[in-house]
Amino acid sequence: MKRNKYLPLTETTYYILLALLEPAHGYAIMQDIEELSKGDVKIAAGTMYGAIENLLKLGWIHSVPSEDKRRKVYQITTSGREILQLETERIRKLSQLAEKLHF
């Protein structure tokens, strides 16, 4: 099977896509990532917004209507879900290999 040219994802990209399984604005995404990672990953605003711009260009996320006009809200797209699924499966396979080798 041919590997997807976008894999592996960066840790930042992976966490942002996970966080955007539900619509969220930038600050909420940063908080969600810190919570999802149990405090291990903290993404600075500049890093996060740069990644958001890249994900928008790739079509993996899109902005959605928001009641708060001051904040842009984003959500993962179908193609974003597909790439997230591929990366999750890739990580799962690596984990299974390590377990098989008793590592």
Side-chain angles (χ1 to χ4, degrees), residues 12-13 18 30 35 43 47 53 69 76 78 89 97 102:
T12 298
T13 298
L18 278 177
M30 293 184 337
E35 185 179 318
I43 297 176
T47 300
E53 287 302 315
K69 300 297 180 203
I76 195 168
T78 301
E89 188 57 35
L97 177 60
H102 305 289

Side-chain angles (χ1 to χ4, degrees), residues 23-25 63-74:
H25 57 80
S63 54
V64 295
S66 169
E67 293 177 13
D68 186 347
K69 300 297 180 203
R70 298 172 295 152
R71 294 181 172 164
K72 284 190 175 183
V73 175
Y74 305 97

Side-chain angles (χ1 to χ4, degrees), residues 15-16 19 29-37 41 43:
Y15 272 110
I16 291 171
I29 296 167
M30 293 184 337
Q31 289 178 314
D32 288 347
I33 290 169
E34 191 169 344
E35 185 179 318
L36 286 169
S37 71
V41 178
I43 297 176

Side-chain angles (χ1 to χ4, degrees), residues 46-103:
T47 300
M48 206 263 317
Y49 286 108
I52 291 283
E53 287 302 315
N54 189 43
L55 293 170
L56 287 166
K57 288 177 188 172
L58 289 167
W60 295 353
I61 65 171
H62 63 107
S63 54
V64 295
S66 169
E67 293 177 13
D68 186 347
K69 300 297 180 203
R70 298 172 295 152
R71 294 181 172 164
K72 284 190 175 183
V73 175
Y74 305 97
Q75 186 170 18
I76 195 168
T77 63
T78 301
S79 59
R81 282 179 182 269
E82 289 170 1
I83 203 75
L84 181 61
Q85 179 64 40
L86 288 171
E87 179 67 348
T88 300
E89 188 57 35
R90 187 188 73 79
I91 293 168
R92 217 176 257 133
K93 286 178 183 177
L94 288 173
S95 178
Q96 289 169 352
L97 177 60
E99 284 181 31
K100 182 179 176 182
L101 297 173
H102 305 289
F103 183 73

